[in-house]
Amino acid sequence: MKIYLDNNATTIVDPYVFDEMEPFFVQKYGNPNSLHYFASETHAPLKEAMQKIYAGIHAPEEDSVVITSCATESNNWVFKSIYNEYVITGKKNHIIISEVEHPSIIATAKYLENLGCNVTYLPINHEGIIEADMVRDYITDKTALVSIMWANNETGAIFPVQEIGDICAEKDVLFHTDAVQAIGKTPVDVQSFNVDYLTMSAHKFHGPKGVGALYMKKGKELTPLLHGGSQMGGYRSGTLNVAGIVGMGKAMEQAIDALDFEMSDIRELRDHFEEELLKIPDTFVVTPREKRTPNTILISFRGIEGESMLWDLNRSGIAASTGSACASEDLESNPVMEAIGAEADLAHTAIRFSLSRYTTEEEIEFTLAVVKEAVDRLRGISSSYAYAPEGHESGLEAH
Ligand code: PLP
């Protein structure tokens, strides 16, 4: 049996999405900007796909949704345009992010720091969540941008983006949110929230890889990062990825249709899985379940290197993650676990299981059995577990 529990890394393309994309490879392969039939037959499907993306995040027609190559591009675009617009011109020089943003935000912020921008990295609290009031405390008259993710990719923690958006609006500071892990898992509505920019990525909600988007509120449009042709209203040049856009539109429609299922049935399956995992002694979960996306568990098994657990799971056909995608060779600790102040030995033991609407009960029962067996085997050969002193404090609550 092959079991995929790494859906925060990427997801299977929904078969309906694949079907909609297929004609745009060998039949309807025209460049939409050309002046012939091959081009014009792509126009209606592109329009329909864009409408589905707008509808998925409740974006009004006057706002812009610009298709990019991925969320990494969307995030880079926001930061580098803000730098060009505010920092270089000397208007403002400060950006606020959380210390648990995705590397496409952290690395971009660090790059801009080297170019003279001031960046504040807000810490998370003991539940792995950013507190909105902290954003207020750090905003100054030099702050150009606040960028806080909607949901964290490691823990699934949902951040208070509504309150943060309100604070930014009140202080007249631009607000960007990386909603990559939120789409299809929690309602995303740019009209009821004060959001100026919002990042999406199709492959996280059963769409194709290599297609992302950036939402921009009317009046807050960014200068382009890629210059060239007039595609995407001149905001993002480059021949349109027709199949990708059609796929993203269908994936968004499917994700919105399946949202209730994710929030009830998948949540229930995740909760059952987690309750059973927490029956294993010396296991720890950071963020309370009700404050998380419905599909994610980041759990530590004291005494077991995350990579060792992954190895055992992989041998049984189960794909999970240590939650730190770049750490596979260096045995790095999980960044969120470090950020909440968990001891190094626990930060090394985090495993992320991320479910999807395709995950079945049978897969979860099988995984539970494999995890239990792996814990027995790995703790049996772990010197650190055997030598853990009595009453050893973890910095986390034990379950
Ligand atoms: N932001 C978050 C929160 C993510 O989880 C990811 C992917 O892991 C990205 C951005 C980057 O997405 P993409 O692969 O589309 O560049």
Side-chain angles (χ1 to χ4, degrees):
M1 178 147 46
K2 274 194 177 174
I3 299 175
Y4 188 74
L5 296 175
D6 197 14
N7 288 281
N8 285 10
T10 196
T11 55
I12 183 175
V13 173
D14 182 311
Y16 290 107
V17 170
F18 183 68
D19 284 352
E20 293 237 342
M21 291 173 69
E22 213 179 356
F24 296 95
F25 291 99
V26 292
Q27 295 158 35
K28 304 179 180 184
Y29 52 83
N31 181 332
N33 281 28
S34 299
L35 296 175
H36 46 65
Y37 169 78
F38 284 84
S40 53
E41 70 178 352
T42 65
H43 292 173
L46 280 172
K47 189 169 174 206
E48 201 183 308
M50 292 305 295
Q51 281 167 347
K52 287 174 183 167
I53 300 171
Y54 271 76
I57 59 167
H58 300 274
E61 221 176 284
E62 73 254 26
D63 293 352
S64 304
V65 173
V66 177
I67 299 297
T68 59
S69 63
C70 57
T72 299
E73 182 189 326
S74 303
N75 289 341
N76 268 261
W77 182 16
V78 174
F79 278 65
K80 290 173 182 170
S81 286
I82 295 293
Y83 176 78
N84 290 339
E85 183 71 22
Y86 289 89
V87 185
I88 291 186
T89 56
K91 287 189 223 161
K92 292 182 175 183
N93 66 353
H94 180 223
I95 290 177
I96 298 176
I97 67 172
S98 83
E99 63 180 0
V100 294
E101 294 298 310
H102 185 265
S104 55
I105 298 268
I106 302 261
T108 309
K110 287 204 187 307
Y111 171 76
L112 296 185
E113 232 175 352
N114 286 333
L115 297 179
C117 184
N118 290 329
V119 181
T120 299
Y121 300 85
L122 295 181
I124 46 176
N125 66 15
H126 67 286
E127 292 185 334
I129 291 175
I130 287 286
E131 283 167 20
D133 278 344
M134 204 175 257
V135 175
R136 184 194 298 281
D137 294 344
Y138 281 91
I139 289 179
T140 72
D141 56 0
K142 286 288 183 191
T143 309
L145 176 73
V146 170
S147 177
I148 302 289
M149 66 205 321
W150 198 302
N152 183 266
N153 42 303
E154 314 271 0
T155 55
I158 296 180
F159 291 167
V161 282
Q162 181 153 28
E163 286 163 81
I164 295 172
D166 290 348
I167 292 168
C168 291
E170 178 197 317
K171 302 266 186 186
D172 203 17
V173 171
L174 295 169
F175 178 46
H176 165 248
T177 184
D178 176 344
V180 163
Q181 298 290 345
I183 305 278
K185 295 171 195 159
T186 187
V188 171
D189 180 342
V190 296
Q191 290 199 63
S192 63
F193 284 24
N194 276 312
V195 174
D196 297 310
Y197 309 108
L198 179 140
T199 292
M200 299 165 260
S201 183
H203 75 99
K204 306 287 185 175
F205 52 91
H206 304 286
K209 294 170 188 58
V211 205
L214 183 70
Y215 158 83
M216 302 189 281
K217 197 189 268 319
K218 184 174 166 42
K220 306 287 176 73
E221 293 86 353
L222 296 171
T223 51
L225 190 62
L226 302 186
H227 296 90
S230 61
Q231 293 90 351
M232 284 286 142
Y235 286 121
R236 202 273 186 186
S237 300
T239 302
L240 297 185
N241 175 359
V242 180
I245 298 169
V246 167
M248 185 170 187
K250 185 68 184 173
M252 180 66 94
E253 184 183 61
Q254 299 280 107
I256 300 309
D257 282 354
L259 185 59
D260 284 346
F261 179 76
E262 286 268 352
M263 290 173 62
S264 54
D265 297 44
I266 296 304
R267 180 181 289 281
E268 221 172 88
L269 189 57
R270 187 276 309 267
D271 290 355
H272 163 70
F273 185 26
E274 185 168 315
E275 276 156 19
E276 290 302 311
L277 289 173
L278 288 172
K279 286 182 185 162
I280 300 170
D282 268 347
T283 48
F284 307 89
V285 168
V286 176
T287 308
R289 251 175 259 165
E290 66 283 2
K291 296 185 181 174
R292 264 186 271 150
T293 46
N295 74 321
T296 307
I297 304 173
L298 182 71
I299 186 164
S300 284
F301 300 91
R302 185 186 289 289
I304 300 175
E305 281 289 350
E307 280 75 7
S308 311
M309 174 64 90
L310 276 194
W311 172 260
D312 274 26
L313 295 177
N314 192 44
R315 266 193 329 187
S316 299
I318 301 163
S321 158
T322 52
S324 47
C326 318
S328 52
E329 284 174 15
D330 300 339
L331 297 182
E332 275 178 32
S333 51
N334 182 282
V336 175
M337 297 293 285
E338 274 190 356
I340 58 153
E343 287 173 4
D345 70 328
L346 263 191
H348 276 274
T349 64
I351 289 280
R352 182 184 71 190
F353 296 103
S354 43
L355 285 61
S356 83
R357 59 178 188 255
Y358 292 94
T359 308
T360 64
E361 262 179 63
E362 191 194 2
E363 289 177 331
I364 292 302
E365 294 312 323
F366 181 79
T367 304
L368 274 169
V370 173
V371 170
K372 285 176 188 164
E373 214 173 282
V375 168
D376 284 347
R377 190 185 86 75
L378 293 166
R379 280 188 177 158
I381 56 171
S382 161
S383 52
S384 68
Y385 189 71
Y387 294 125
E390 286 284 313
H392 191 66
E393 289 292 320
S394 62
L396 297 175
E397 267 177 47
H399 294 266

